[in-house]
Amino acid sequence: MNWRHVNLIYMRELTDQLRDRRTVFTITVLPLLLYPLIGMLMMQVAQFNKRQAANVRIVGLDNWPSELPLLDKRNKPILHPGMIDVSEWMNFESQPWPTIDGEFSWEQMLTAARTDIASDKIDAVLFVEPGFEQELRSRLTVAAAGTTGSGSAILNDADSAGITPLSTQESVVEHVGVKPSSDGLQVIANLARDNSRIAQERIGVLLDSWRAAWVSSQLASAGMSPRLIEPFTVDATDTATESVKSAVLWTKILPMVMLVWALTGAFYPAIDLCAGEKERGTLETLLSSPARRAEIVWGKLFTVITFSVSSAVLNLLSMHFTASFVVRKLLLSGIPDLAETLGPLPIQAVGWLLLLLLPMAAFFSALALAIAALARSTKEGQYYLMPLLLVTLPLVSLPMLPSMSLNLGTSLIPVTGTVFLIRSLIEGRYFEAFIYLPTVVLVTACCCGLSIRWAIKQFESETVMFRESERWNLKLLLHHLWRDREDTASTASALLAGAIILVSIFFAQLAAGSFVSGWSGIASSTFIVQVLLILTPCLLMSVYLTRSPRRALRIHRVQFSHVIAALGLGVAVHPTYSALGYAIQQLYEIGPETQQLLAKFQHMVGSQPLWAVLMILAALPALCEELAFRGFIFGGLLRSGGALRAIVVTSLLFGFAHPVLQQSIAAALMGLFLGLIAWRTGGVICTIVVHLINNTLSVSMAWMAMNHFEPPAALSWAVYSQDSSWTYTPTWSTLSVLLALTLTFILMRRDTQTQRTVQAEMA
């Protein structure tokens, strides 16, 4: 690596970018103007964002208990002791209850209420039926009659007799023909409209407040203390410091905003440095220079990182100063609650956010550079931004969930672990951050390294750098696919097959739901998923898009030593796989609903013959999944020397094909090992053997434990029974690792024919 060449390329690209006025405006001027303008707009909008009073009509106010009236003669709420003042929230109008009785008059009132709500004359209607006061009296009388003078029954029934909380009432929403309420109160509202819904909620607040006042008055009249309603209160003490409380909201919002700006700030310069140079015709000159491709990538990468960091920093500082101004303005405007919620952004939080920015900018810049290299034009490159954002946003948004926190499981998630770490540092939890710092640093470094390696690989590929723009024509595309068929699938066909499999499984899971009706349902659903959704797309594509389906599925001659090693490896690797699955379940706990479903599944499986369970759950998945993932898809991704690409991508697809998160992680890690075997052995025979033995051992041990079988005495050195399950002994677990390493070394050795087969696939 000649760093002098890297520096020359960096200065060249940086100078070219700074000459572009659009880039300078987007990176520097726009952040400085954007947030002040947004702050001004918020202050202007805040002037109109006053609480609007809800218009409520009360029909039958004369039926309200006279001893504790709800409204006065001016239709204003009467504040009884303990009631909440809602006069600023609600405007009331009252109508007397119609004198004509009968079903027709009730329907007529409902129709009129619905019409007035639809025309925005009122927001909600409260019906106070003639029997309301009598209902209160009758319930109180019944309660009193059943007491011995202590008044306890009065209290118990009084809380539920007067008015039920509005949350427990059935609201009538545009429905004519509703019968009168049994309690004497009924609210008519249109919950599809915000004003009407808010009016209903405020009516609930008013009625709950009146109910508390009514219960207090009844207790007082019975000679009891109204404090019985609320016999005690709880004093809460907040242990959070002022700096932490002021940063609570910002710690959730700012990392997401800053990382989004870092990604967008990296992507547009990356497009110009790749697709833009292709359009200008200057990329060929740069590639023909003495600089190596890796040096060119590093020079461009440093340029993209510079603009990514600059964009994010300027946005952060502009947001910081604007937020500080807005908070002070809110305090002066007499809105302390909102000002306290926002809070000033602590200066130490800015420092920690800048620390977060550096590794994430490097990661996003390398990703943007690698993806931008695929684009044949600037217009095409801009289309790639949205998929990249859709993949990145869930990782950035995950820390905003209230149930998520920094632990070993979340620290292993790229981007998410880094955001959690910075949140812990901002909130002053330094010991927690120190514990998981090595894990986060290691994961982030691996992500940066892989993304940089991918970018270099893209620039070293002539087919990527010099692709020509093609016009879309379905007829020509089909003709091209049939005419230019080869022995193995193309990379595009392999990725398409993987996408079809995942989408099909996703919709099949939605259609099937979580209910499985017995063993027949398990067997049929497994057959559908494995044969129809996983294997069939690859079989059809191998027939129509390749010249040799056998070679496309990578069914080649296999070395005898590889087969023997695969038989032993399937047994030797299972203890490690079991321990890995247990560790994953400890990191990411299975939810209670999923545990119940898995328990039902295991019960249904345990009641079936072992041979049938092995055929459906061990042999069938091993055959179908290996032919699809390590066969057709792996062969297509292996072309043009993409061994690492084939191993990683197929393992990810293999993991996503499993429905449970814990299974997906374990399957993805197992897929890396199976991909290595598929590459070194030149086919799928050995991976089918290893996969089959691994599935057989997992299913057999679980079936034996569920049917209360004890391990054979001859295997007591390797397996023992504990807590209704079969577990490997520490001795065999240790020896199996050494045996697996030895057998893997044997699988790494190829004979001449296997070497030719692999070289032909990678050509």
Side-chain angles (χ1 to χ4, degrees):
M1 179 73 68
N2 190 332
W3 291 104
R4 181 173 175 271
H5 291 168
V6 173
N7 182 61
L8 288 174
I9 295 173
Y10 169 69
M11 296 305 299
R12 168 189 177 271
E13 302 294 356
L14 186 62
T15 303
D16 288 344
Q17 290 298 310
L18 291 177
R19 289 172 179 169
D20 187 358
R21 289 178 296 178
R22 292 175 299 178
T23 302
V24 173
F25 177 81
T26 303
I27 300 299
T28 60
V29 180
L30 183 60
L32 297 177
L33 297 178
L34 179 62
Y35 295 102
L37 292 175
I38 293 177
M40 293 175 59
L41 181 61
M42 289 177 58
M43 299 304 300
Q44 295 293 330
V45 172
Q47 300 178 11
F48 300 97
N49 191 26
K50 297 180 180 179
R51 177 176 288 177
Q52 300 293 329
N55 297 317
V56 177
R57 176 184 297 165
I58 300 180
V59 179
L61 186 61
D62 48 333
N63 298 324
W64 200 268
S66 57
E67 63 182 82
L68 203 67
L70 185 65
L71 303 180
D72 58 16
K73 295 180 179 180
R74 297 177 301 171
N75 290 331
K76 298 294 183 181
I78 300 177
L79 289 180
H80 300 286
M83 287 189 60
I84 301 175
D85 187 5
V86 297
S87 57
E88 296 183 358
W89 302 357
M90 308 168 70
N91 295 326
F92 293 95
E93 63 176 69
S94 62
Q95 287 185 0
W97 191 265
T99 57
I100 302 176
D101 296 330
E103 187 72 18
F104 173 78
S105 64
W106 175 250
E107 292 186 357
Q108 190 178 41
M109 288 190 298
L110 290 174
T111 303
R114 184 186 66 171
T115 303
D116 291 343
I117 292 175
S119 60
D120 284 337
K121 291 182 179 179
I122 53 176
D123 298 319
V125 178
L126 172 63
F127 285 106
V128 184
E129 299 168 14
F132 175 59
E133 184 174 3
Q134 289 77 7
E135 184 69 21
L136 286 178
R137 299 295 181 189
S138 63
R139 294 189 181 187
L140 186 60
T141 303
V142 171
T147 65
T148 59
S150 62
S152 59
I154 298 178
L155 174 63
N156 293 336
D157 280 354
D159 190 51
S160 60
I163 303 172
T164 58
L166 197 63
S167 58
T168 63
Q169 295 181 8
E170 291 187 5
S171 301
V172 182
V173 184
E174 295 189 3
H175 180 63
V176 179
V178 178
K179 299 300 181 183
S181 170
S182 59
D183 289 337
L185 291 179
Q186 191 164 168
V187 177
I188 312 299
N190 183 356
L191 300 185
R193 306 182 65 170
D194 291 337
N195 291 341
S196 187
R197 177 180 53 80
I198 294 173
Q200 174 179 329
E201 294 174 355
R202 293 176 181 176
I203 292 175
V205 173
L206 174 63
L207 295 183
D208 288 342
S209 178
W210 184 90
R211 180 185 62 179
W214 184 82
V215 172
S216 298
S217 66
Q218 297 302 316
L219 289 173
S221 62
M224 303 175 63
S225 173
R227 289 292 302 272
L228 287 174
I229 302 176
E230 190 177 0
F232 62 88
T233 58
V234 179
D235 293 332
T237 302
D238 189 2
T239 61
T241 61
E242 292 298 328
S243 60
V244 172
K245 287 193 294 185
S246 63
V248 167
L249 183 62
W250 295 113
T251 56
K252 296 182 179 181
I253 296 177
L254 277 185
M256 178 178 178
V257 174
M258 191 180 65
L259 291 182
V260 169
W261 272 108
L263 177 59
T264 54
F267 198 78
Y268 288 108
I271 293 175
D272 187 69
L273 293 178
C274 295
E277 290 211 49
K278 290 180 183 180
E279 292 179 333
R280 294 189 294 268
T282 58
L283 184 61
E284 292 83 354
T285 305
L286 180 61
L287 295 177
S288 62
S289 66
R292 298 168 54 189
R293 297 292 176 90
E295 296 167 353
I296 295 175
V297 171
W298 278 104
K300 290 180 176 292
L301 179 62
F302 286 141
T303 305
V304 177
I305 291 175
T306 300
F307 284 97
S308 175
V309 172
S310 301
S311 176
V313 168
L314 290 175
N315 278 276
L316 176 62
L317 295 178
S318 179
M319 180 182 291
H320 170 63
F321 290 116
T322 304
S324 301
F325 170 77
V326 171
V327 169
R328 288 196 300 268
K329 189 68 174 177
L330 291 174
L331 288 173
L332 294 176
S333 301
I335 315 178
D337 295 338
L338 183 57
E340 183 179 357
T341 302
L342 291 174
L345 178 62
I347 191 63
Q348 69 270 18
V350 178
W352 292 122
L353 289 171
L354 292 178
L355 182 63
L356 163 68
L357 176 62
L358 295 177
M360 290 296 99
F363 176 48
F364 290 150
S365 298
L367 275 181
L369 199 62
I371 294 175
L374 295 171
R376 290 165 288 194
S377 63
T378 304
K379 182 179 179 180
E380 179 184 345
Q382 293 175 352
Y383 295 149
Y384 296 154
L385 176 61
M386 185 55 65
L388 185 59
L389 276 175
L390 293 178
V391 174
T392 307
L393 281 179
L395 299 177
V396 179
S397 305
L398 194 61
M400 299 182 67
L401 298 178
S403 59
M404 302 292 291
S405 61
L406 180 62
N407 51 48
L408 184 57
T410 55
S411 65
L412 292 171
I413 305 176
V415 181
T416 302
T418 309
V419 176
F420 273 122
L421 181 67
I422 297 301
R423 279 185 55 184
S424 298
L425 292 173
I426 295 176
E427 295 173 359
R429 293 182 277 117
Y430 300 111
F431 181 74
E432 176 186 89
F434 179 76
I435 293 176
Y436 299 107
L437 177 63
T439 306
V440 174
V441 170
L442 180 61
V443 171
T444 305
C446 290
C447 292
C448 292
L450 290 174
S451 58
I452 293 172
R453 174 60 184 167
W454 183 30
I456 295 175
K457 198 74 174 177
Q458 294 285 76
F459 272 77
E460 290 176 347
S461 175
E462 301 293 331
T463 57
V464 172
M465 300 305 296
F466 298 107
R467 291 194 308 160
E468 296 182 357
S469 299
E470 300 176 356
R471 299 191 57 151
W472 170 258
N473 189 305
L474 181 60
K475 182 178 180 180
L476 291 178
L477 176 62
L478 296 176
H479 178 71
H480 167 73
L481 292 175
W482 180 262
R483 182 194 63 189
D484 298 335
R485 291 180 302 162
E486 298 185 19
D487 291 342
T488 58
S490 63
T491 302
S493 300
L495 293 176
L496 178 61
I500 291 175
I501 290 173
L502 295 184
V503 172
S504 301
I505 292 176
F506 173 74
F507 283 107
Q509 291 174 353
L510 291 181
S514 59
F515 179 75
V516 179
S517 57
W519 169 251
S520 60
I522 295 176
S524 60
S525 62
T526 303
F527 180 84
I528 291 173
V529 170
Q530 295 294 330
V531 177
L532 298 182
L533 303 184
I534 294 179
L535 183 59
T536 300
C538 295
L539 287 177
L540 294 176
M541 296 180 76
S542 66
V543 171
Y544 291 102
L545 300 182
T546 65
R547 297 183 183 274
S548 174
R550 180 182 65 83
R551 293 181 180 178
L553 297 173
R554 305 186 74 240
I555 305 175
H556 303 305
R557 184 199 70 86
V558 63
Q559 294 178 215
F560 180 73
S561 61
H562 285 174
V563 176
I564 299 301
L567 290 171
L569 192 60
V571 177
V573 81
H574 189 259
T576 303
Y577 179 76
S578 300
L580 180 64
Y582 177 79
I584 292 173
Q585 291 184 15
Q586 298 302 310
L587 287 177
Y588 308 100
E589 295 183 2
I590 301 178
E593 295 182 358
T594 305
Q595 289 181 353
Q596 293 178 0
L597 292 176
L598 292 177
K600 293 180 181 179
F601 177 83
Q602 292 175 355
H603 177 73
M604 288 184 287
V605 169
S607 61
Q608 303 303 315
L610 180 59
W611 67 267
V613 175
L614 291 178
M615 288 294 296
I616 296 298
L617 300 182
L620 186 62
L623 179 64
C624 296
E625 291 173 357
E626 291 307 313
L627 288 175
F629 293 107
R630 254 70 61 180
F632 183 83
I633 298 176
F634 192 93
L637 296 173
L638 194 61
R639 298 179 62 172
S640 302
L644 180 62
R645 175 184 62 189
I647 294 173
V648 173
V649 174
T650 52
S651 66
L652 292 176
L653 294 175
F654 181 57
F656 288 140
H658 293 75
V660 182
L661 173 63
Q662 292 75 10
Q663 293 179 349
S664 297
I665 299 174
L669 296 176
M670 187 65 176
L672 293 173
F673 183 67
L674 293 174
L676 179 64
I677 297 174
W679 173 50
R680 297 303 302 179
T681 59
V684 295
I685 302 300
C686 292
T687 61
I688 291 176
V689 171
V690 174
H691 196 161
L692 175 61
I693 295 176
N694 184 78
N695 287 354
T696 300
L697 290 175
S698 297
V699 173
S700 299
M701 293 177 66
W703 189 90
M704 293 289 183
M706 284 185 290
N707 288 275
H708 307 290
F709 285 96
E710 292 295 328
L715 296 178
S716 60
W717 59 275
V719 183
Y720 68 98
S721 179
Q722 181 183 16
D723 298 332
S724 301
S725 63
W726 284 21
T727 308
Y728 289 108
T729 62
T731 302
W732 170 237
S733 298
T734 304
L735 293 176
S736 66
V737 174
L738 301 177
L739 179 59
L741 293 176
T742 303
L743 295 174
T744 303
F745 177 76
I746 296 175
L747 286 174
M748 296 297 104
R749 302 174 63 87
R750 300 173 178 154
D751 60 14
T752 304
Q753 186 170 353
T754 304
Q755 185 69 20
R756 289 201 201 98
T757 301
V758 175
Q759 289 177 350
E761 286 185 323
M762 298 180 65

